[in-house]
Amino acid sequence: MTYAYLFKYIIIGDTGVGKSCLLLQFTDKRFQPVHDLTIGVEFGARMVNIDGKQIKLQIWDTAGQESFRSITRSYYRGAAGALLVYDITRRETFNHLTSWLEDARQHSSSNMVIMLIGNKSDLESRRDVKREEGEAFAREHGLIFMETSAKTACNVEEAFINTAKEIYRKIQQGLFDVHNEANGIKIGPQQCISSSVGPSTSQRNSGDVESNSGCC
Amino acid sequence: MKRGRTPKPAQGRAERTLVPACPTGRPGRLQRHLSGEFDQLRDFPIFESNFVQVTRLGEVANKVTMGVAASSPALELPDLLLLAGPAKENGHLQLFGLFPLQFVQLFVHDESRWQLKVKFRTGRAFYLQLRAPRETLDREFGQWVRLLYRLRFPSAQGSVPFTQEYPAQDWEEQDDDEDLTPEEEEELRTMEARLNPQASELWGL
């Protein structure tokens, strides 16, 4: 299937926060409570529609465990978007965000769009990190923020798609050079797109979703 | 496959006979897929084959393409395992995972059925049966056996016991190339020119 752009995403964060579950929910619309530990990188892909454009999201789900980290960080390079995930029921996963963020900033493009995700929002009774803390961290570091539940699918679509919208907005503003592969954006096969993409009048599409749908 | 060259016992790196990554001497399906969409991986030398995943008892499950790749041309041996298979929605090859070989072990599961066992450090394991034309199955399986031997005993390369000579043969890959449209053929030719199969040299397999 043809597409206008391909965006490379990485999913990063501590082990057990639900990175692979978020990917599975987004690509397959299902939740798998028991998942093998990720070693290296696992991949997923899905088409979304942003502003009338078909966009392929190529998602690199990285291993969160410390012993794999030195290897997987080399694959951050060339990502247009990152989902930085913590578990709202485990404070330590929130405390480690700074370290993940430093890694991401160091190994990827300065224009990379980063979505901070507080996952497992269905486990409200076990919450250990307030929503306001996530919001404050995101504000302080210039990230987008959402709480999600890979289990109930709450905000999962929104997290991936809002990241794509932000990348697309940056393309329109000329902040991303789509011809530079280091930015994690590829023009689709047989597409003829000038480097400056003009704004489109089409605003709603089938794969498009409203921001902050508020289910969590 | 050997393009008129005869493999010899592995020697020093510089002396080792290098062969193209793919049996036909042109980029395999996996390498072409990476070349199209995975900029970061597209220049890796890759050795790849088509398999079917089987149960421990040999019942066939799904198609898998497995490759080993070197993340740097300076490496003496591959350091990554790549797994791919048909995408659910359109059957096109899709990369599923990239795993550092230091966390993976390859075994011969059943030589008579050309089956390998792939075991991750996490304990997860699965079985793959090589899929290739009958006349080249043994040869291609032998390459995988030699590879896993080298990965297991990297310092023993000089004594690798796989020294049989293979006749040079012309044969076609048993994959989906036959179904390519003229546009895809053209794209393939362009890609082949860009990849240059000689760059996909293997580790004396």
Side-chain angles (χ1 to χ4, degrees):
Chain A
M1 193 174 181
T2 188
Y3 49 85
Y5 294 108
L6 180 148
F7 294 166
K8 173 182 171 179
Y9 279 17
I10 51 171
I11 313 182
I12 56 175
D14 275 9
T15 185
V17 297
K19 299 184 294 298
S20 300
C21 290
L22 283 165
L23 176 60
L24 191 66
Q25 182 59 255
F26 181 64
T27 56
D28 288 28
K29 298 191 188 308
R30 63 191 171 94
F31 176 69
Q32 193 173 297
V34 181
H35 197 281
D36 284 323
L37 191 70
T38 304
I39 59 172
V41 183
E42 295 187 9
F43 299 92
R46 203 185 117 179
M47 291 284 192
V48 296
N49 192 312
I50 305 291
D51 209 8
K53 296 272 192 300
Q54 281 292 100
I55 291 174
K56 182 170 185 175
L57 303 183
Q58 180 194 84
I59 305 152
W60 298 46
D61 170 27
T62 65
Q65 204 175 58
E66 188 59 38
S67 53
F68 305 131
R69 195 162 161 185
S70 62
I71 292 168
T72 52
R73 67 163 64 99
S74 61
Y75 298 106
Y76 294 1
R77 189 163 53 85
L83 305 189
L84 171 56
V85 187
Y86 68 94
D87 174 353
I88 66 156
T89 71
R90 285 164 57 212
R91 164 69 57 180
E92 74 272 17
T93 65
F94 181 76
N95 294 341
H96 295 156
L97 287 177
T98 310
S99 156
W100 285 106
L101 195 56
E102 277 171 13
D103 258 11
R105 298 268 196 227
Q106 192 178 340
H107 291 90
S108 47
S109 153
S110 56
N111 281 318
M112 182 169 74
V113 172
I114 303 177
M115 167 73 77
L116 177 64
I117 293 180
N119 191 36
K120 308 194 186 180
S121 64
D122 55 293
L123 301 176
E124 187 58 43
S125 61
R126 288 166 49 190
R127 180 185 283 275
D128 199 20
V129 183
K130 288 180 192 161
R131 183 188 176 90
E132 293 73 26
E133 293 178 270
E135 287 171 341
F137 186 93
R139 202 164 41 243
E140 189 181 331
H141 294 91
L143 320 176
I144 321 171
F145 175 69
M146 296 195 96
E147 287 196 346
T148 62
S149 167
K151 186 176 181 180
T152 66
C154 176
N155 272 345
V156 174
E157 291 270 314
E158 288 82 350
F160 282 88
I161 291 174
N162 290 353
T163 306
K165 282 180 180 173
E166 181 61 15
I167 295 167
Y168 188 72
R169 192 184 63 81
K170 285 192 169 188
I171 293 173
Q172 288 181 302
Q173 290 180 340
L175 295 172
F176 269 128
D177 174 6
V178 295
H179 298 289
N180 182 353
E181 292 170 355
N183 283 326
I185 296 167
K186 229 177 136 59
I187 297 173
Q190 291 147 14
Q191 295 286 325
C192 184
I193 296 170
S194 68
S195 50
S196 75
V197 181
S200 164
T201 51
S202 171
Q203 296 297 318
R204 294 293 302 260
N205 300 288
S206 57
D208 208 350
V209 290
E210 286 293 325
S211 304
N212 303 316
S213 63
C215 66
C216 292
Chain B
M1 161 186 216
K2 303 300 175 198
R3 298 282 175 191
R5 299 186 209 181
T6 304
K8 297 191 171 73
Q11 299 159 356
R13 185 164 164 240
E15 299 168 80
R16 201 183 309 154
T17 304
L18 297 174
V19 297
C22 308
T24 53
R26 70 184 200 187
R29 295 179 68 211
L30 180 55
Q31 185 143 31
R32 275 149 33 205
H33 172 61
L34 298 181
S35 174
E37 292 194 346
F38 289 82
D39 293 331
Q40 206 174 341
L41 312 180
R42 72 176 176 200
D43 295 327
F44 289 1
I46 295 176
F47 174 69
E48 60 174 270
S49 292
N50 295 317
F51 294 84
V52 283
Q53 187 174 356
V54 293
T55 66
R56 200 173 170 193
L57 299 175
E59 291 154 340
V60 172
N62 42 300
K63 288 182 180 178
V64 174
T65 298
M66 178 166 75
V68 289
S71 59
S72 160
L75 290 173
E76 291 233 355
L77 285 170
D79 61 339
L80 296 171
L81 180 82
L82 304 170
L83 291 174
K88 267 179 277 179
E89 60 270 24
N90 54 20
H92 292 169
L93 195 69
Q94 181 181 0
L95 184 62
F96 292 149
L98 173 158
F99 311 95
L101 273 169
Q102 69 193 90
F103 304 124
V104 186
Q105 274 190 301
L106 299 172
F107 302 91
V108 174
H109 177 59
D110 186 338
E111 193 169 10
S112 67
R113 293 180 179 180
W114 309 280
Q115 289 175 354
L116 298 176
K117 176 181 178 181
V118 183
K119 186 176 182 187
F120 292 100
R121 182 181 280 187
T122 54
R124 183 174 139 214
F126 55 92
Y127 303 90
L128 297 176
Q129 180 170 314
L130 185 63
R131 203 162 54 93
R134 181 67 190 85
E135 63 273 21
T136 57
L137 257 174
D138 287 333
R139 177 157 52 96
E140 199 167 333
F141 192 74
Q143 290 178 297
W144 280 97
V145 174
R146 187 164 10 190
L147 173 73
L148 66 91
Y149 184 91
R150 288 198 177 153
L151 291 171
R152 194 86 53 82
F153 308 106
S155 59
Q157 287 184 12
S159 57
V160 173
F162 303 99
T163 57
Q164 69 191 89
E165 292 190 350
Y166 303 116
Q169 285 183 19
D170 285 322
W171 61 286
E172 288 302 313
E173 250 181 317
Q174 189 190 40
D175 62 13
D176 302 334
D177 288 355
E178 292 158 13
D179 303 327
L180 293 179
T181 64
E183 293 76 24
E184 287 169 328
E185 283 286 3
E186 179 55 36
E187 190 181 343
L188 176 59
R189 274 194 292 275
T190 309
M191 194 181 291
E192 282 172 14
R194 182 152 52 87
L195 283 169
N196 180 9
Q198 294 307 312
S200 305
E201 292 175 330
L202 273 206
W203 307 277
L205 304 180

